[in-house]
């Protein structure tokens, strides 16, 4: 017989803790940020390579897929059609490249081509520049301007980072840039550049000194510019004059021209107490071994020791642990929601470290160490530039078809599909996040052992590849493709096992389809078992929602009762959740993973998952 769940004093004490955490999360949540990049010059790395690390951070429900794009040939008269209608003439041959795509996001894709030239970017908006229509009317944006295709064209055509920089500059100067503000990072085995772009035709670029490392969050970091030093700086011809004309810089102030100060702007809703972005501060702290005290922070820092790939991975996993910027209370709250922004954050969709090498074979000149989702809970898997195809489960579309989704992806692309590695690792990070302090150590020990084994195997593996390549280059390529695929399959299998072990409860949901325009409620049964006494759980401590949304916005249970719904002799907690409260969290109607979080009266976390089809 069903009975109402009574909220006793012991439940109230748990609720007080939960409410306090929710209140703290609400206080520390700040406006959206996205992406952190670190570049280490070749004289500052342990093996003489240029190393680029990047966290791709984008809010909302996303999906990423990867491709190997082969070389392509084009006929005279073939053109690239830009988003706003302009055209760029094709070259006869475009290079092959590895491509990580976020369909529908024109500013998130990553490329590294067969020559070992890579390009990624960070949003640096807002700036002081005028809006798109004003610049079109003024002639500073022509033929609709360029945005998405800038990085793709660099990957298709550049054989060196400097050539990629010049290509990007030519495109900006010809068409004008469409977005508010962005920094592109272009690198090869010899050098790396930061290219800061403002909407229109104004830009500045600075080379990374070979013996330093540079960390960029979502802000311009190029300040003083030596326009006569063309080996280390590039800029539009009227960079300073335009700033003077617009009133952004006054030469009589006695201070040197500062690009970031002149062209950049600060979000009105950002806290003003810090004079730096804590991600740049923490990145420099980890590299140099001491907290930087200069304000503004320097463009580059000299690492205290030679930097390894593993060092950059550790930096990209940082949540400010051990510093006053860490608001997670020793992981009592997930750092992804307590520290916003942190280097590894709630919006991190992909993390990678690219090792760009000189004096090695074409198959090995770039290693793309890739982690799906947040790197603190995922492993970095090495993808060599010489692979013929991406690992199983990472790419499920032809790259030419994927290209058609760059601006308008279809809703079914966001369906939860356990055959795709994307959702396997997303499930794991969601299972971890609801009980972060309790389980992250277990997960990281698993991935640490996995990664350390790969690093130990790497020298012998690459010697073997060199031997194969000397006699049969095709076989060497096939071998390295199989090797990469085997590591990816192994990691995916481990991730599935970890997720199954970390889910603390099972759910029974009879309503498999929810209409976003509907009213009423959805009934969810939290199943009791020998291991879980649901009478120790108050529905007041339970909420459901998509993992991509902050848990303090999730739909709370508004009632609950104990009843044995599946006839196994154990009481189950049947709860009701408002459909409108849940629907407002659903960004895209699709087959979605919805997560339940709660706690027992002993503060043991409850984490479970259900799959629901959402329709308009």
């Amino acid at each position: 017989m069903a009975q109402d769940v009574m909220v006793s004093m012991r439940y109230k004490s748990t609720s007080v803790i939960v409410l306090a955490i929710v209140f703290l999360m609400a206080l520390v949540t700040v406006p959206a940020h996205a992406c952190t990049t670190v570049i280490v010059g070749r004289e500052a790395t342990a093996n003489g390579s240029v190393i680029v690390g990047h966290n791709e951070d984008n809010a909302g429900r996303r999906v990423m897929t990867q491709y190997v794009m082969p070389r392509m040939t084009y006929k005279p008269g073939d053109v690239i059609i830009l988003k706003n209608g302009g055209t760029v003439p094709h070259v006869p041959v475009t290079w092959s490249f590895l491509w990580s795509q976020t369909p529908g996001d024109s500013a998130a894709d990553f490329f590294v081509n067969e020559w070992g030239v890579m390009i990624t970017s960070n949003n640096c908006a807002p700036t002081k520049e005028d809006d798109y229509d004003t610049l079109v009317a003024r002639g500073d944006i022509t033929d609709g301007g360029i945005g998405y295709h800038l990085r793709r064209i660099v990957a298709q055509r550049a054989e060196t980072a400097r050539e990629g920089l010049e290509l990007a500059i030519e495109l900006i100067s010809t068409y004008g840039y469409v977005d508010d503000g962005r920094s592109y990072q272009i690198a090869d085995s010899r050098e790396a550049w930061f290219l800061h772009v403002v909407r229109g035709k104004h830009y500045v670029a600075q080379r990374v000194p070979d013996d330093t490392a540079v960390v960029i969050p979502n802000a311009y970091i190029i300040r003083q510019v030596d326009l006569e030093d063309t080996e280390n700086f590039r800029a539009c011809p009227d960079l300073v004059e335009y700033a003077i004309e617009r009133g952004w810089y006054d030469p009589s102030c006695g201070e040197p021209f500062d690009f970031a100060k002149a062209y950049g702007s600060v979000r009105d809703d950002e806290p003003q107490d810090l004079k730096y972005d804590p991600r740049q501060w923490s990145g420099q702290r980890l590299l140099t071994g001491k907290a930087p005290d200069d304000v503004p922070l320097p463009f580059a820092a000299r690492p205290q020791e030679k930097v390894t790939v593993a060092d950059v991975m550790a930096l990209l996993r940082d949540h400010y642990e051990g510093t006053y910027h860490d608001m997670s209370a020793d992981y009592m709250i997930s750092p992804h929601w307590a520290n916003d922004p942190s280097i590894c954050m709630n919006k991190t969709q992909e993390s990678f470290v690219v090792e760009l090498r000189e004096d090695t074979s074409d198959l090995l000149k770039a290693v793309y160490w890739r982690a799906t989702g947040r790197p603190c809970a995922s492993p970095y898997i090495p993808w060599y530039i010489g692979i013929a195809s991406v690992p199983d489960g990472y790419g499920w579309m032809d790259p030419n078809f994927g290209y058609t989704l760059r601006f308008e992806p279809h809703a079914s692309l966001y369906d939860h599909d356990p055959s795709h590695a994307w959702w396997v690792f997303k499930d794991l990070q969601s299972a971890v996040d609801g009980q972060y302090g309790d389980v992250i150590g277990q997960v990281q020990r698993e991935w640490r052992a996995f990664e350390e084994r790969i690093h130990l195997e790497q020298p012998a593996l690459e010697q073997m590849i060199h031997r194969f390549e000397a006699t049969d280059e095709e076989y060497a390529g096939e071998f390295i493709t199989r090797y990469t695929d085997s590591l990816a399959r192994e990691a995916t299998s481990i991730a599935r096992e970890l997720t199954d072990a970390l889910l603390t409860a099972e759910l029974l949901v009879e309503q498999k389809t929810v209409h976003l325009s509907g009213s009423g409620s959805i009934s969810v049964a939290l199943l009791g078992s020998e291991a879980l006494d649901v009478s120790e759980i108050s529905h007041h401590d339970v909420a459901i929602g998509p993992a991509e949304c902050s848990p303090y916005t999730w739909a709370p249970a508004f009632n609950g009762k104990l009843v044995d719904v599946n006839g196994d002799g154990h009481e189950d907690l049947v709860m009701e959740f408002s459909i409108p409260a849940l629907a407002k969290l659903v960004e895209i109607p699709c087959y979605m993973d919805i997560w339940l979080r709660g706690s027992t009266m002993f503060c043991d976390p409850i984490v479970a998952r259900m799959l629901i089809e959402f329709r308009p």
Side-chain angles (χ1 to χ4, degrees), residues 249-380:
Y249 173 60
D250 181 0
S252 66
C253 70
E255 297 180 358
F257 173 76
D258 181 324
F259 173 82
K261 184 177 180 180
Y263 281 82
S265 187
V266 178
R267 292 181 178 89
D268 293 336
D269 52 0
E270 281 193 346
Q272 301 298 306
D273 55 331
L274 289 179
K275 301 298 182 183
Y276 56 83
D277 189 298
R279 290 169 294 171
Q280 186 184 17
W281 174 89
S282 194
Q284 291 189 2
R285 171 185 66 92
L286 293 170
L287 290 163
T288 64
K290 61 180 181 179
D293 50 17
D294 294 335
V295 177
L297 296 174
F299 172 76
R302 285 183 172 80
Q304 63 175 339
E305 298 176 349
K306 296 290 187 179
V307 178
T308 66
V309 167
D311 293 332
V312 177
M313 292 173 180
L315 186 153
L316 294 175
R317 286 168 164 148
D318 180 56
H319 309 102
Y320 312 137
E321 286 89 348
T323 78
Y324 54 83
H325 288 297
D326 181 10
M327 303 291 288
S328 70
D330 291 329
Y331 296 158
M332 186 175 182
I333 312 168
S334 165
H336 304 119
W337 302 102
N339 307 327
D340 189 1
S342 55
I343 293 177
C344 179
M345 65 163 71
N346 58 72
K347 294 177 277 291
T348 301
Q349 307 291 348
E350 173 188 53
S351 182
F352 62 77
V353 179
V354 182
E355 197 177 359
L356 301 168
R357 300 143 144 205
E358 196 171 26
D359 299 327
T360 190
S361 74
D362 290 345
L363 296 176
L364 307 177
K365 66 173 53 175
V367 189
Y368 169 43
W369 297 82
R370 185 181 183 279
T372 299
R374 300 171 193 144
C376 65
S378 293
Y380 286 96

Side-chain angles (χ1 to χ4, degrees), residues 332-577:
M332 186 175 182
I333 312 168
S334 165
H336 304 119
W337 302 102
N339 307 327
D340 189 1
S342 55
I343 293 177
C344 179
M345 65 163 71
N346 58 72
K347 294 177 277 291
T348 301
Q349 307 291 348
E350 173 188 53
S351 182
F352 62 77
V353 179
V354 182
E355 197 177 359
L356 301 168
R357 300 143 144 205
E358 196 171 26
D359 299 327
T360 190
S361 74
D362 290 345
L363 296 176
L364 307 177
K365 66 173 53 175
V367 189
Y368 169 43
W369 297 82
R370 185 181 183 279
T372 299
R374 300 171 193 144
C376 65
S378 293
Y380 286 96
I381 302 168
W383 297 23
Y384 285 88
I385 192 63
I387 60 175
S389 59
V390 301
D392 183 59
Y394 285 83
W396 53 91
M397 295 180 288
D398 176 84
N400 290 307
F401 178 73
Y403 178 66
T404 68
L405 303 176
R406 62 197 182 279
F407 304 133
E408 297 181 1
H410 49 79
S412 63
L413 195 63
Y414 300 92
D415 288 345
H416 184 281
D417 186 338
S419 70
H420 296 168
W422 173 260
W423 296 113
V424 173
F425 287 101
K426 282 289 187 175
D427 281 350
L428 174 58
Q429 74 175 30
S430 299
V432 168
D433 216 47
Q435 48 191 328
Y436 195 88
D438 292 337
V439 304
I440 190 59
Q442 171 191 349
V443 172
Q444 290 184 344
R445 283 191 297 273
E446 189 77 45
W447 295 135
R448 189 179 304 116
F450 177 80
E451 290 175 356
E452 287 176 353
R453 191 195 83 214
I454 295 172
H455 284 292
L456 287 172
E457 291 174 349
Q458 192 176 19
L461 169 80
E462 293 182 2
Q463 288 179 7
M464 188 184 305
I465 297 299
H466 283 302
R467 290 198 300 271
F468 291 156
E469 196 172 16
T471 57
D472 190 338
E473 186 173 349
E474 183 178 352
Y475 177 77
E478 292 172 355
F479 181 88
I480 206 166
T481 302
R482 290 196 301 271
Y483 174 76
T484 301
D485 185 73
S486 69
L487 289 180
R489 287 175 183 268
E490 180 185 355
T492 303
S493 177
I494 294 171
R496 287 193 177 101
E497 292 173 2
L498 283 169
T499 301
D500 289 344
L502 294 177
L503 293 175
T504 63
E506 292 185 42
L507 302 176
L508 181 62
V509 186
E510 293 185 358
Q511 189 173 348
K512 302 297 185 182
T513 302
V514 171
H515 290 275
L516 297 176
S517 58
S519 58
S521 63
I522 181 172
S523 178
V524 178
L526 180 61
L527 300 181
S529 65
E530 288 288 343
L532 179 62
D533 182 356
V534 296
S535 69
E536 297 176 348
I537 302 169
S538 167
H539 73 270
H540 294 285
D541 295 338
V542 178
I544 62 172
E548 57 267 19
C549 295
S550 172
Y552 82 87
T553 67
W554 287 8
F558 62 81
N559 67 36
K561 59 185 179 181
L562 294 174
V563 58
D564 182 4
V565 296
N566 59 354
D568 65 352
H570 298 285
E571 287 185 319
D572 308 308
L573 178 56
V574 180
M575 296 166 286
E576 299 292 324
F577 299 86

